[in-house]
Amino acid sequence: MEEKFDYSIIDKAIDEYGDAESSLIAILQRIQEVYRFLPAEAFPYLAKKLGVSEARIYGVATFYENFSLKRKGKYIIKVCDGTACHVKHSIPILEALREELGLSETKVTTDDYLFTVETVSCLGACSSAPAIMLNEDIKPLMSPEKAIELVNQLREGEKYDQQ
């Protein structure tokens, strides 16, 4: 189910942030908030609106790690592999999530686009290691079992929402 790109998102962001090149990052952030990635359809339209090249937009979108050109899941799970989390066994959490969701190092998003599992260098939650981030929320003192339980709760919530 591909959703049609809504160009009014860009127009509203330009109304809010302005049409100068210096507004590019804020506008890209707004697009990604809505779609959870940066759809290719946005680039030509945005380039024309801001008077910059598509290559410039692509350069910014690929420079910053927080931007994604690939569609992500509704629930983005970031597993911390910083020193504190690694020492406290974050890798078994990552492995359990990948196994439960049928993911791998190269396949990071489920086919139904419900989950994306990524690793990050540090979440800044070292005192709560091992930690993961679910969308914007830190989940401290995680274990493989707790991570699977969290995934199952989210799945159940999705089933409930669809009834």
Side-chain angles (χ1 to χ4, degrees):
M1 176 182 95
E2 282 298 310
E3 51 187 303
K4 189 170 173 4
F5 187 78
D6 180 1
Y7 294 97
S8 71
I9 294 164
I10 293 175
D11 295 333
K12 290 174 188 169
I14 289 172
D15 287 345
E16 184 174 347
Y17 299 113
D19 63 358
E21 183 178 351
S22 59
S23 301
L24 178 58
I25 291 173
I27 295 167
L28 290 175
Q29 287 172 324
R30 179 63 51 82
I31 295 166
Q32 187 159 292
E33 282 174 16
V34 173
Y35 288 96
R36 297 186 299 278
F37 78 114
L38 298 174
E41 303 92 314
F43 288 36
Y45 186 80
L46 184 56
K48 185 175 181 182
K49 287 290 204 170
L50 297 184
V52 299
S53 70
E54 286 184 55
R56 172 75 177 128
I57 295 170
Y58 181 80
V60 170
T62 56
F63 178 80
Y64 292 101
E65 190 174 310
N66 205 38
F67 289 127
S68 177
L69 300 178
K70 292 182 180 175
R71 186 173 171 196
K72 292 188 176 191
K74 178 177 181 179
Y75 301 107
I76 300 170
I77 301 171
K78 295 180 181 180
V79 179
C80 182
D81 195 32
T83 303
C85 287
H86 186 86
V87 167
K88 298 248 182 163
H89 309 292
S90 62
I91 295 304
I93 297 166
L94 175 64
E95 291 168 346
L97 286 167
R98 284 179 175 164
E99 184 176 333
E100 176 70 20
L101 297 169
L103 300 175
S104 67
E105 194 172 321
T106 54
K107 182 182 185 203
V108 299
T109 300
T110 57
D111 292 337
D112 61 3
Y113 291 102
L114 197 55
F115 296 97
T116 296
V117 176
E118 305 172 328
T119 58
V120 292
S121 298
C122 185
L123 290 174
C126 302
S127 64
S128 300
I132 67 171
M133 180 178 270
L134 173 61
N135 292 346
E136 301 301 318
D137 298 325
I138 298 284
K139 302 294 183 184
L141 305 171
M142 194 53 58
S143 69
E145 297 77 19
K146 287 181 184 176
I148 300 307
E149 184 180 325
L150 178 62
V151 164
N152 288 329
Q153 288 172 355
L154 294 169
R155 284 177 172 153
E156 284 302 312
E158 288 297 317
K159 287 179 190 172
Y160 179 77
D161 288 347
Q162 292 174 0
Q163 291 179 352

